[in-house]
């Protein structure tokens, strides 16, 4: 270890305590490889501050020595954004894990960035409330992480994305200064929306230490429908009919026959119907009336466009398990790290997009296995490509994004850009847009120390793809 690093480590130990500066290779492993196994980084140390003051002192010490910092929450990100570049430190928010207050009347939670989504929802439920963001990684994904990625998740169709829930932040800037935009009001219109700017900033603008977020009222009861359908139009029509009958759509997901079969063969999930269907839609609904009766009426009116259907009162975890196990089962089933693309297309183009995508992949990359699923009512399809030879991953990504662009879509619906999609950002943003983003980056982080290899296409790519 160089003298410079030894001095840095001593300084960091003096700030957070010896136990919270991790340098041994084995313990560091889980912080330097991403959830998908596709991105492997390298760090000088993992530092785990316990307070905002400690975060500020750690960041100031790194700023002085020009040491890059990668913020990390639960490390469940799917685009390689939380993985450090050589010479960086990982600043883990794991110890910023206390819930400060819940205001049950204003419906606001104030909590540390390291609090998990499940902890926030649990705390809200004790007051008869619900956290508005939910995703299968809920037990590990942190509030800092969902803000930094502007996560979507399964309730986005109902409550909007993470940015829509965010009221305030406390965050440490690249020189150690603390920004506190902490006003527990839903109406506060004084100048630029800095919390909104940090939402989706992927650790490149500041380290979020606390968040102030909205809570929602849970529906009194829900019904969960799992229907087998032959076309995406049938799924969209079912969702539309539910809304037109006054039902509230709490979640609306799509799966394919190959995806459901894969989940059933790589987990204890059971196939929902006697006969497979080309597509499966899972829709959770609520209403102020007799939800079940209305749902049954709609299903019977839609019988000619459905192969089969099950209705269960929420939470219907067994039905949800089929959907939520996709990510893990797909990872387990692939012989190489999965190429995970997360795209959105306008609803009227979804059907032609899926057909074009499936036929292009079958014709041009016959050795790979695509599995599609996603939050279809938001236009969001997760394109997972299994068994991709490493050398082919860029060509496949190029091809998928070309089809997305032809259908007026987005190359990142909810996971962000990270390392994985940095090379394609020009497909999602114009040169002027990118110039403004770079100017914002250099205004907030002039030394380019916060996650320098993520999101914007300036910096070097020091981490390696496995
Ligand atoms: P990390 O992975 O630790 O970090 C993600 C990014 O945020 C990195 O760029 C990191 O530098 C930055 N960051 C983290 N904390 C901070 C902080 N305090 N300050 C500044 N920057 C920070 N995503 C969805 O959008 N919708 C889904 O439905 C969804 N489902 C998932 C299901 C599974 C099984 C898995 C494994 C992942 C899923 N994800 C989903 C992806 C992931 O869970 C989200 O991106 C989540 O928001 C990441 O949170 P995290 O705490 O793990 O962040
Ligand atoms: C999901 O919706 O389950 C996630 O975004 C995870 C994934 O895309 O694998
Ligand atoms: Zn998703």
């Amino acid at each position: 270890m160089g003298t410079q690093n030894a001095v840095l480590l001593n300084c960091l130990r003096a700030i957070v305590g010896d136990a919270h500066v991790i340098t041994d290779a084995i313990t560091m492993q889980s912080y330097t490889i991403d959830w998908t196994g596709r991105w492997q980084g390298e760090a000088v140390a993992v530092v785990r501050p316990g307070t905002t003051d400690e975060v500020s002192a750690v960041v100031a010490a790194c700023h002085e020595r020009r040491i890059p910092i990668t913020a990390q929450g639960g490390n469940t990100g799917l685009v390689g954004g939380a993985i450090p570049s050589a010479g960086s430190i990982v600043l883990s928010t794991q110890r910023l894990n206390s819930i400060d207050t819940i205001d049950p009347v204003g419906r606001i939670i104030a909590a540390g960035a390291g609090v998990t989504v499940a902890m926030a929802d649990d705390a809200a439920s004790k007051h008869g409330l619900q956290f508005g963001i939910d995703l299968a990684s809920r037990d590990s994904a942190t509030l800092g992480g969902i803000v930094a990625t502007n996560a979507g998740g399964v309730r986005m169709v109902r409550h909007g994305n993470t940015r829509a829930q965010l009221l305030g932040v406390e965050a440490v800037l690249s020189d150690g200064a603390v920004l506190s935009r902490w006003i527990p009001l839903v109406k506060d219109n004084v100048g630029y929306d800095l919390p909104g700017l940090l939402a989706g900033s992927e650790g490149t603008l500041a380290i979020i230490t606390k968040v102030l977020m909205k809570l929602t009222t849970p529906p009194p009861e829900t019904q969960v429908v799992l229907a087998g359908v032959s076309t995406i139009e049938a799924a969209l029509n079912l969702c539309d009919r539910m809304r037109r009958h006054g039902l509230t759509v709490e979640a609306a997901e799509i799966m394919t026959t190959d995806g459901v079969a894969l989940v059933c063969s790589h987990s204890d999930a059971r196939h929902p119907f006697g006969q497979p269907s080309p597509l499966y839609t899972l829709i959770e609904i609520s209403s102020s009336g007799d939800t079940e009766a209305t749902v049954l009426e709609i299903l019977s009116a839609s019988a000619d466009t459905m192969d089969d259907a099950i209705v269960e009162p929420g939470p219907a975890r067994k039905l949800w398990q089929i959907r939520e196990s996709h990510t893990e089962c797909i990872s387990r089933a692939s012989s190489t790290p999965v190429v995970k693309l997360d795209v959105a297309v306008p609803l009227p183009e979804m059907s032609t997009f899926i057909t074009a995508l499936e036929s292009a992949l079958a014709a041009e990359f016959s050795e790979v296995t695509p599995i599609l699923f996603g939050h279809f009512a938001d236009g969001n399809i997760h394109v997972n490509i299994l068994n991709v030879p490493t050398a082919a991953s860029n060509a496949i990504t190029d091809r998928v994004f070309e089809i997305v662009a032809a259908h007026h879509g987005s190359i990142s619906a909810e996971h962000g850009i990270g390392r994985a999609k940095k090379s394609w950002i020009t497909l999602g943003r114009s040169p002027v847009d990118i110039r403004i983003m770079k100017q914002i980056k250099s205004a907030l982080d002039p030394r380019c120390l916060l996650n320098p290899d993520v999101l914007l296409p300036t910096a070097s790519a020091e981490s390696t793809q496995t």
Side-chain angles (χ1 to χ4, degrees), residues 55 58-60 62-63 67-71 84 87-91 174 203 207 448-452:
V55 175
V58 166
V59 174
C62 291
H63 183 258
I67 303 292
I69 302 174
T70 291
S88 308
I89 66 152
V90 172
L91 190 151
S174 67
I207 314 283
C448 199
L449 297 175
L450 300 180
N451 235 359

mmCIF file with all atom_site columns, all heavy atoms in Angstrom, residues 55 58-60 62-63 67-71 84 87-91 174 203 207 448-452:
data_model
loop_
_atom_site.group_PDB
_atom_site.id
_atom_site.type_symbol
_atom_site.label_atom_id
_atom_site.label_alt_id
_atom_site.label_comp_id
_atom_site.label_asym_id
_atom_site.label_entity_id
_atom_site.label_seq_id
_atom_site.pdbx_PDB_ins_code
_atom_site.Cartn_x
_atom_site.Cartn_y
_atom_site.Cartn_z
_atom_site.occupancy
_atom_site.B_iso_or_equiv
_atom_site.pdbx_formal_charge
_atom_site.auth_seq_id
_atom_site.auth_comp_id
_atom_site.auth_asym_id
_atom_site.auth_atom_id
_atom_site.pdbx_PDB_model_num
ATOM 1   N N   . VAL A 1 55  ? -20.032 11.396 7.415   1.00 0.00 ? 55  VAL A N   1
ATOM 2   C CA  . VAL A 1 55  ? -20.017 11.363 5.935   1.00 0.00 ? 55  VAL A CA  1
ATOM 3   C C   . VAL A 1 55  ? -19.312 12.619 5.432   1.00 0.00 ? 55  VAL A C   1
ATOM 4   O O   . VAL A 1 55  ? -18.433 12.564 4.558   1.00 0.00 ? 55  VAL A O   1
ATOM 5   C CB  . VAL A 1 55  ? -21.453 11.294 5.357   1.00 0.00 ? 55  VAL A CB  1
ATOM 6   C CG1 . VAL A 1 55  ? -21.409 11.386 3.825   1.00 0.00 ? 55  VAL A CG1 1
ATOM 7   C CG2 . VAL A 1 55  ? -22.167 10.016 5.795   1.00 0.00 ? 55  VAL A CG2 1
ATOM 8   N N   . VAL A 1 58  ? -15.570 12.389 5.929   1.00 0.00 ? 58  VAL A N   1
ATOM 9   C CA  . VAL A 1 58  ? -14.970 11.410 4.994   1.00 0.00 ? 58  VAL A CA  1
ATOM 10  C C   . VAL A 1 58  ? -14.867 12.036 3.603   1.00 0.00 ? 58  VAL A C   1
ATOM 11  O O   . VAL A 1 58  ? -13.822 11.971 2.932   1.00 0.00 ? 58  VAL A O   1
ATOM 12  C CB  . VAL A 1 58  ? -15.827 10.112 4.943   1.00 0.00 ? 58  VAL A CB  1
ATOM 13  C CG1 . VAL A 1 58  ? -15.437 9.241  3.756   1.00 0.00 ? 58  VAL A CG1 1
ATOM 14  C CG2 . VAL A 1 58  ? -15.711 9.339  6.254   1.00 0.00 ? 58  VAL A CG2 1
ATOM 15  N N   . VAL A 1 59  ? -15.940 12.676 3.172   1.00 0.00 ? 59  VAL A N   1
ATOM 16  C CA  . VAL A 1 59  ? -15.954 13.255 1.821   1.00 0.00 ? 59  VAL A CA  1
ATOM 17  C C   . VAL A 1 59  ? -14.925 14.391 1.737   1.00 0.00 ? 59  VAL A C   1
ATOM 18  O O   . VAL A 1 59  ? -14.174 14.508 0.751   1.00 0.00 ? 59  VAL A O   1
ATOM 19  C CB  . VAL A 1 59  ? -17.383 13.734 1.447   1.00 0.00 ? 59  VAL A CB  1
ATOM 20  C CG1 . VAL A 1 59  ? -17.375 14.477 0.116   1.00 0.00 ? 59  VAL A CG1 1
ATOM 21  C CG2 . VAL A 1 59  ? -18.336 12.538 1.381   1.00 0.00 ? 59  VAL A CG2 1
ATOM 22  N N   . ALA A 1 60  ? -14.844 15.213 2.791   1.00 0.00 ? 60  ALA A N   1
ATOM 23  C CA  . ALA A 1 60  ? -13.866 16.326 2.779   1.00 0.00 ? 60  ALA A CA  1
ATOM 24  C C   . ALA A 1 60  ? -12.439 15.776 2.709   1.00 0.00 ? 60  ALA A C   1
ATOM 25  O O   . ALA A 1 60  ? -11.592 16.308 1.968   1.00 0.00 ? 60  ALA A O   1
ATOM 26  C CB  . ALA A 1 60  ? -14.059 17.205 4.015   1.00 0.00 ? 60  ALA A CB  1
ATOM 27  N N   . CYS A 1 62  ? -11.474 12.979 1.375   1.00 0.00 ? 62  CYS A N   1
ATOM 28  C CA  . CYS A 1 62  ? -11.243 12.456 0.016   1.00 0.00 ? 62  CYS A CA  1
ATOM 29  C C   . CYS A 1 62  ? -11.091 13.609 -0.972  1.00 0.00 ? 62  CYS A C   1
ATOM 30  O O   . CYS A 1 62  ? -10.281 13.532 -1.905  1.00 0.00 ? 62  CYS A O   1
ATOM 31  C CB  . CYS A 1 62  ? -12.383 11.539 -0.400  1.00 0.00 ? 62  CYS A CB  1
ATOM 32  S SG  . CYS A 1 62  ? -12.400 9.994  0.530   1.00 0.00 ? 62  CYS A SG  1
ATOM 33  N N   . HIS A 1 63  ? -11.857 14.652 -0.767  1.00 0.00 ? 63  HIS A N   1
ATOM 34  C CA  . HIS A 1 63  ? -11.793 15.821 -1.654  1.00 0.00 ? 63  HIS A CA  1
ATOM 35  C C   . HIS A 1 63  ? -10.394 16.421 -1.612  1.00 0.00 ? 63  HIS A C   1
ATOM 36  O O   . HIS A 1 63  ? -9.769  16.704 -2.650  1.00 0.00 ? 63  HIS A O   1
ATOM 37  C CB  . HIS A 1 63  ? -12.845 16.837 -1.193  1.00 0.00 ? 63  HIS A CB  1
ATOM 38  C CG  . HIS A 1 63  ? -12.940 18.052 -2.062  1.00 0.00 ? 63  HIS A CG  1
ATOM 39  N ND1 . HIS A 1 63  ? -12.398 19.261 -1.724  1.00 0.00 ? 63  HIS A ND1 1
ATOM 40  C CD2 . HIS A 1 63  ? -13.522 18.229 -3.278  1.00 0.00 ? 63  HIS A CD2 1
ATOM 41  C CE1 . HIS A 1 63  ? -12.652 20.143 -2.683  1.00 0.00 ? 63  HIS A CE1 1
ATOM 42  N NE2 . HIS A 1 63  ? -13.321 19.545 -3.636  1.00 0.00 ? 63  HIS A NE2 1
ATOM 43  N N   . ILE A 1 67  ? -9.495  11.776 -3.928  1.00 0.00 ? 67  ILE A N   1
ATOM 44  C CA  . ILE A 1 67  ? -9.836  10.338 -3.982  1.00 0.00 ? 67  ILE A CA  1
ATOM 45  C C   . ILE A 1 67  ? -11.300 10.205 -4.408  1.00 0.00 ? 67  ILE A C   1
ATOM 46  O O   . ILE A 1 67  ? -12.191 10.763 -3.771  1.00 0.00 ? 67  ILE A O   1
ATOM 47  C CB  . ILE A 1 67  ? -9.669  9.678  -2.582  1.00 0.00 ? 67  ILE A CB  1
ATOM 48  C CG1 . ILE A 1 67  ? -8.249  9.863  -2.042  1.00 0.00 ? 67  ILE A CG1 1
ATOM 49  C CG2 . ILE A 1 67  ? -10.085 8.205  -2.607  1.00 0.00 ? 67  ILE A CG2 1
ATOM 50  C CD1 . ILE A 1 67  ? -7.183  9.117  -2.801  1.00 0.00 ? 67  ILE A CD1 1
ATOM 51  N N   . PRO A 1 68  ? -11.584 9.458  -5.483  1.00 0.00 ? 68  PRO A N   1
ATOM 52  C CA  . PRO A 1 68  ? -12.983 9.281  -5.905  1.00 0.00 ? 68  PRO A CA  1
ATOM 53  C C   . PRO A 1 68  ? -13.805 8.447  -4.895  1.00 0.00 ? 68  PRO A C   1
ATOM 54  O O   . PRO A 1 68  ? -13.231 7.598  -4.179  1.00 0.00 ? 68  PRO A O   1
ATOM 55  C CB  . PRO A 1 68  ? -12.873 8.536  -7.233  1.00 0.00 ? 68  PRO A CB  1
ATOM 56  C CG  . PRO A 1 68  ? -11.444 8.593  -7.624  1.00 0.00 ? 68  PRO A CG  1
ATOM 57  C CD  . PRO A 1 68  ? -10.633 8.802  -6.393  1.00 0.00 ? 68  PRO A CD  1
ATOM 58  N N   . ILE A 1 69  ? -15.105 8.703  -4.893  1.00 0.00 ? 69  ILE A N   1
ATOM 59  C CA  . ILE A 1 69  ? -16.001 8.024  -3.938  1.00 0.00 ? 69  ILE A CA  1
ATOM 60  C C   . ILE A 1 69  ? -17.188 7.437  -4.685  1.00 0.00 ? 69  ILE A C   1
ATOM 61  O O   . ILE A 1 69  ? -17.830 8.125  -5.484  1.00 0.00 ? 69  ILE A O   1
ATOM 62  C CB  . ILE A 1 69  ? -16.569 9.032  -2.911  1.00 0.00 ? 69  ILE A CB  1
ATOM 63  C CG1 . ILE A 1 69  ? -15.433 9.728  -2.156  1.00 0.00 ? 69  ILE A CG1 1
ATOM 64  C CG2 . ILE A 1 69  ? -17.535 8.359  -1.946  1.00 0.00 ? 69  ILE A CG2 1
ATOM 65  C CD1 . ILE A 1 69  ? -15.928 10.840 -1.231  1.00 0.00 ? 69  ILE A CD1 1
ATOM 66  N N   . THR A 1 70  ? -17.490 6.192  -4.385  1.00 0.00 ? 70  THR A N   1
ATOM 67  C CA  . THR A 1 70  ? -18.733 5.595  -4.887  1.00 0.00 ? 70  THR A CA  1
ATOM 68  C C   . THR A 1 70  ? -19.660 5.364  -3.707  1.00 0.00 ? 70  THR A C   1
ATOM 69  O O   . THR A 1 70  ? -19.322 4.618  -2.778  1.00 0.00 ? 70  THR A O   1
ATOM 70  C CB  . THR A 1 70  ? -18.444 4.252  -5.601  1.00 0.00 ? 70  THR A CB  1
ATOM 71  O OG1 . THR A 1 70  ? -17.737 4.557  -6.807  1.00 0.00 ? 70  THR A OG1 1
ATOM 72  C CG2 . THR A 1 70  ? -19.726 3.522  -5.970  1.00 0.00 ? 70  THR A CG2 1
ATOM 73  N N   . ALA A 1 71  ? -20.831 6.003  -3.740  1.00 0.00 ? 71  ALA A N   1
ATOM 74  C CA  . ALA A 1 71  ? -21.829 5.761  -2.690  1.00 0.00 ? 71  ALA A CA  1
ATOM 75  C C   . ALA A 1 71  ? -22.481 4.416  -2.965  1.00 0.00 ? 71  ALA A C   1
ATOM 76  O O   . ALA A 1 71  ? -22.719 4.054  -4.119  1.00 0.00 ? 71  ALA A O   1
ATOM 77  C CB  . ALA A 1 71  ? -22.886 6.854  -2.718  1.00 0.00 ? 71  ALA A CB  1
ATOM 78  N N   . PRO A 1 84  ? -17.161 0.431  -7.394  1.00 0.00 ? 84  PRO A N   1
ATOM 79  C CA  . PRO A 1 84  ? -16.084 1.429  -7.427  1.00 0.00 ? 84  PRO A CA  1
ATOM 80  C C   . PRO A 1 84  ? -15.083 1.199  -8.563  1.00 0.00 ? 84  PRO A C   1
ATOM 81  O O   . PRO A 1 84  ? -14.882 0.079  -9.013  1.00 0.00 ? 84  PRO A O   1
ATOM 82  C CB  . PRO A 1 84  ? -15.388 1.204  -6.082  1.00 0.00 ? 84  PRO A CB  1
ATOM 83  C CG  . PRO A 1 84  ? -15.612 -0.251 -5.801  1.00 0.00 ? 84  PRO A CG  1
ATOM 84  C CD  . PRO A 1 84  ? -16.978 -0.579 -6.345  1.00 0.00 ? 84  PRO A CD  1
ATOM 85  N N   . GLY A 1 87  ? -8.808  2.726  -7.091  1.00 0.00 ? 87  GLY A N   1
ATOM 86  C CA  . GLY A 1 87  ? -8.340  3.965  -6.467  1.00 0.00 ? 87  GLY A CA  1
ATOM 87  C C   . GLY A 1 87  ? -9.431  4.706  -5.701  1.00 0.00 ? 87  GLY A C   1
ATOM 88  O O   . GLY A 1 87  ? -9.176  5.718  -5.061  1.00 0.00 ? 87  GLY A O   1
ATOM 89  N N   . SER A 1 88  ? -10.688 4.194  -5.758  1.00 0.00 ? 88  SER A N   1
ATOM 90  C CA  . SER A 1 88  ? -11.806 4.865  -5.066  1.00 0.00 ? 88  SER A CA  1
ATOM 91  C C   . SER A 1 88  ? -12.013 4.278  -3.684  1.00 0.00 ? 88  SER A C   1
ATOM 92  O O   . SER A 1 88  ? -11.520 3.202  -3.367  1.00 0.00 ? 88  SER A O   1
ATOM 93  C CB  . SER A 1 88  ? -13.127 4.604  -5.780  1.00 0.00 ? 88  SER A CB  1
ATOM 94  O OG  . SER A 1 88  ? -13.065 4.897  -7.110  1.00 0.00 ? 88  SER A OG  1
ATOM 95  N N   . ILE A 1 89  ? -12.844 4.967  -2.920  1.00 0.00 ? 89  ILE A N   1
ATOM 96  C CA  . ILE A 1 89  ? -13.410 4.302  -1.745  1.00 0.00 ? 89  ILE A CA  1
ATOM 97  C C   . ILE A 1 89  ? -14.894 4.067  -2.009  1.00 0.00 ? 89  ILE A C   1
ATOM 98  O O   . ILE A 1 89  ? -15.530 4.805  -2.762  1.00 0.00 ? 89  ILE A O   1
ATOM 99  C CB  . ILE A 1 89  ? -13.233 5.115  -0.440  1.00 0.00 ? 89  ILE A CB  1
ATOM 100 C CG1 . ILE A 1 89  ? -14.033 6.414  -0.479  1.00 0.00 ? 89  ILE A CG1 1
ATOM 101 C CG2 . ILE A 1 89  ? -11.775 5.357  -0.103  1.00 0.00 ? 89  ILE A CG2 1
ATOM 102 C CD1 . ILE A 1 89  ? -14.444 6.883  0.906   1.00 0.00 ? 89  ILE A CD1 1
ATOM 103 N N   . VAL A 1 90  ? -15.420 3.016  -1.372  1.00 0.00 ? 90  VAL A N   1
ATOM 104 C CA  . VAL A 1 90  ? -16.866 2.814  -1.352  1.00 0.00 ? 90  VAL A CA  1
ATOM 105 C C   . VAL A 1 90  ? -17.365 3.456  -0.068  1.00 0.00 ? 90  VAL A C   1
ATOM 106 O O   . VAL A 1 90  ? -16.852 3.152  1.021   1.00 0.00 ? 90  VAL A O   1
ATOM 107 C CB  . VAL A 1 90  ? -17.221 1.310  -1.341  1.00 0.00 ? 90  VAL A CB  1
ATOM 108 C CG1 . VAL A 1 90  ? -18.714 1.112  -1.126  1.00 0.00 ? 90  VAL A CG1 1
ATOM 109 C CG2 . VAL A 1 90  ? -16.770 0.647  -2.624  1.00 0.00 ? 90  VAL A CG2 1
ATOM 110 N N   . LEU A 1 91  ? -18.314 4.355  -0.174  1.00 0.00 ? 91  LEU A N   1
ATOM 111 C CA  . LEU A 1 91  ? -18.927 4.922  1.022   1.00 0.00 ? 91  LEU A CA  1
ATOM 112 C C   . LEU A 1 91  ? -20.283 4.232  1.191   1.00 0.00 ? 91  LEU A C   1
ATOM 113 O O   . LEU A 1 91  ? -21.215 4.479  0.428   1.00 0.00 ? 91  LEU A O   1
ATOM 114 C CB  . LEU A 1 91  ? -19.095 6.439  0.877   1.00 0.00 ? 91  LEU A CB  1
ATOM 115 C CG  . LEU A 1 91  ? -19.506 7.160  2.175   1.00 0.00 ? 91  LEU A CG  1
ATOM 116 C CD1 . LEU A 1 91  ? -18.986 8.584  2.184   1.00 0.00 ? 91  LEU A CD1 1
ATOM 117 C CD2 . LEU A 1 91  ? -21.007 7.137  2.402   1.00 0.00 ? 91  LEU A CD2 1
ATOM 118 N N   . SER A 1 174 ? -19.601 17.364 -2.840  1.00 0.00 ? 174 SER A N   1
ATOM 119 C CA  . SER A 1 174 ? -18.295 16.739 -3.104  1.00 0.00 ? 174 SER A CA  1
ATOM 120 C C   . SER A 1 174 ? -17.168 17.311 -2.246  1.00 0.00 ? 174 SER A C   1
ATOM 121 O O   . SER A 1 174 ? -16.138 16.662 -2.058  1.00 0.00 ? 174 SER A O   1
ATOM 122 C CB  . SER A 1 174 ? -17.943 16.880 -4.580  1.00 0.00 ? 174 SER A CB  1
ATOM 123 O OG  . SER A 1 174 ? -17.720 18.237 -4.887  1.00 0.00 ? 174 SER A OG  1
ATOM 124 N N   . GLY A 1 203 ? -25.432 8.853  -7.630  1.00 0.00 ? 203 GLY A N   1
ATOM 125 C CA  . GLY A 1 203 ? -24.207 9.044  -6.841  1.00 0.00 ? 203 GLY A CA  1
ATOM 126 C C   . GLY A 1 203 ? -23.201 9.964  -7.490  1.00 0.00 ? 203 GLY A C   1
ATOM 127 O O   . GLY A 1 203 ? -22.056 10.052 -7.033  1.00 0.00 ? 203 GLY A O   1
ATOM 128 N N   . ILE A 1 207 ? -23.746 12.827 -1.941  1.00 0.00 ? 207 ILE A N   1
ATOM 129 C CA  . ILE A 1 207 ? -24.060 11.606 -1.179  1.00 0.00 ? 207 ILE A CA  1
ATOM 130 C C   . ILE A 1 207 ? -25.286 11.928 -0.331  1.00 0.00 ? 207 ILE A C   1
ATOM 131 O O   . ILE A 1 207 ? -25.233 12.797 0.555   1.00 0.00 ? 207 ILE A O   1
ATOM 132 C CB  . ILE A 1 207 ? -22.911 11.213 -0.212  1.00 0.00 ? 207 ILE A CB  1
ATOM 133 C CG1 . ILE A 1 207 ? -21.534 11.281 -0.879  1.00 0.00 ? 207 ILE A CG1 1
ATOM 134 C CG2 . ILE A 1 207 ? -23.201 9.871  0.453   1.00 0.00 ? 207 ILE A CG2 1
ATOM 135 C CD1 . ILE A 1 207 ? -21.183 10.162 -1.781  1.00 0.00 ? 207 ILE A CD1 1
ATOM 136 N N   . CYS A 1 448 ? -14.683 16.121 -10.134 1.00 0.00 ? 448 CYS A N   1
ATOM 137 C CA  . CYS A 1 448 ? -15.178 14.843 -10.682 1.00 0.00 ? 448 CYS A CA  1
ATOM 138 C C   . CYS A 1 448 ? -14.760 13.654 -9.808  1.00 0.00 ? 448 CYS A C   1
ATOM 139 O O   . CYS A 1 448 ? -14.114 12.712 -10.269 1.00 0.00 ? 448 CYS A O   1
ATOM 140 C CB  . CYS A 1 448 ? -14.705 14.661 -12.126 1.00 0.00 ? 448 CYS A CB  1
ATOM 141 S SG  . CYS A 1 448 ? -15.706 13.435 -12.988 1.00 0.00 ? 448 CYS A SG  1
ATOM 142 N N   . LEU A 1 449 ? -15.141 13.730 -8.542  1.00 0.00 ? 449 LEU A N   1
ATOM 143 C CA  . LEU A 1 449 ? -14.766 12.677 -7.593  1.00 0.00 ? 449 LEU A CA  1
ATOM 144 C C   . LEU A 1 449 ? -15.931 11.753 -7.241  1.00 0.00 ? 449 LEU A C   1
ATOM 145 O O   . LEU A 1 449 ? -15.717 10.666 -6.713  1.00 0.00 ? 449 LEU A O   1
ATOM 146 C CB  . LEU A 1 449 ? -14.227 13.312 -6.293  1.00 0.00 ? 449 LEU A CB  1
ATOM 147 C CG  . LEU A 1 449 ? -12.944 14.130 -6.461  1.00 0.00 ? 449 LEU A CG  1
ATOM 148 C CD1 . LEU A 1 449 ? -12.559 14.805 -5.149  1.00 0.00 ? 449 LEU A CD1 1
ATOM 149 C CD2 . LEU A 1 449 ? -11.805 13.236 -6.957  1.00 0.00 ? 449 LEU A CD2 1
ATOM 150 N N   . LEU A 1 450 ? -17.161 12.205 -7.491  1.00 0.00 ? 450 LEU A N   1
ATOM 151 C CA  . LEU A 1 450 ? -18.309 11.376 -7.098  1.00 0.00 ? 450 LEU A CA  1
ATOM 152 C C   . LEU A 1 450 ? -18.711 10.472 -8.260  1.00 0.00 ? 450 LEU A C   1
ATOM 153 O O   . LEU A 1 450 ? -19.156 10.943 -9.304  1.00 0.00 ? 450 LEU A O   1
ATOM 154 C CB  . LEU A 1 450 ? -19.487 12.263 -6.658  1.00 0.00 ? 450 LEU A CB  1
ATOM 155 C CG  . LEU A 1 450 ? -19.198 13.185 -5.470  1.00 0.00 ? 450 LEU A CG  1
ATOM 156 C CD1 . LEU A 1 450 ? -20.429 14.019 -5.112  1.00 0.00 ? 450 LEU A CD1 1
ATOM 157 C CD2 . LEU A 1 450 ? -18.739 12.392 -4.246  1.00 0.00 ? 450 LEU A CD2 1
ATOM 158 N N   . ASN A 1 451 ? -18.496 9.198  -8.055  1.00 0.00 ? 451 ASN A N   1
ATOM 159 C CA  . ASN A 1 451 ? -18.836 8.177  -9.064  1.00 0.00 ? 451 ASN A CA  1
ATOM 160 C C   . ASN A 1 451 ? -18.433 8.610  -10.481 1.00 0.00 ? 451 ASN A C   1
ATOM 161 O O   . ASN A 1 451 ? -19.280 8.667  -11.394 1.00 0.00 ? 451 ASN A O   1
ATOM 162 C CB  . ASN A 1 451 ? -20.346 7.884  -8.994  1.00 0.00 ? 451 ASN A CB  1
ATOM 163 C CG  . ASN A 1 451 ? -20.614 6.403  -8.785  1.00 0.00 ? 451 ASN A CG  1
ATOM 164 O OD1 . ASN A 1 451 ? -19.671 5.599  -8.706  1.00 0.00 ? 451 ASN A OD1 1
ATOM 165 N ND2 . ASN A 1 451 ? -21.862 6.026  -8.682  1.00 0.00 ? 451 ASN A ND2 1
ATOM 166 N N   . PRO A 1 452 ? -17.143 8.895  -10.693 1.00 0.00 ? 452 PRO A N   1
ATOM 167 C CA  . PRO A 1 452 ? -16.726 9.498  -11.963 1.00 0.00 ? 452 PRO A CA  1
ATOM 168 C C   . PRO A 1 452 ? -16.956 8.637  -13.201 1.00 0.00 ? 452 PRO A C   1
ATOM 169 O O   . PRO A 1 452 ? -17.025 9.175  -14.307 1.00 0.00 ? 452 PRO A O   1
ATOM 170 C CB  . PRO A 1 452 ? -15.216 9.737  -11.756 1.00 0.00 ? 452 PRO A CB  1
ATOM 171 C CG  . PRO A 1 452 ? -14.827 8.822  -10.646 1.00 0.00 ? 452 PRO A CG  1
ATOM 172 C CD  . PRO A 1 452 ? -16.039 8.668  -9.768  1.00 0.00 ? 452 PRO A CD  1
#
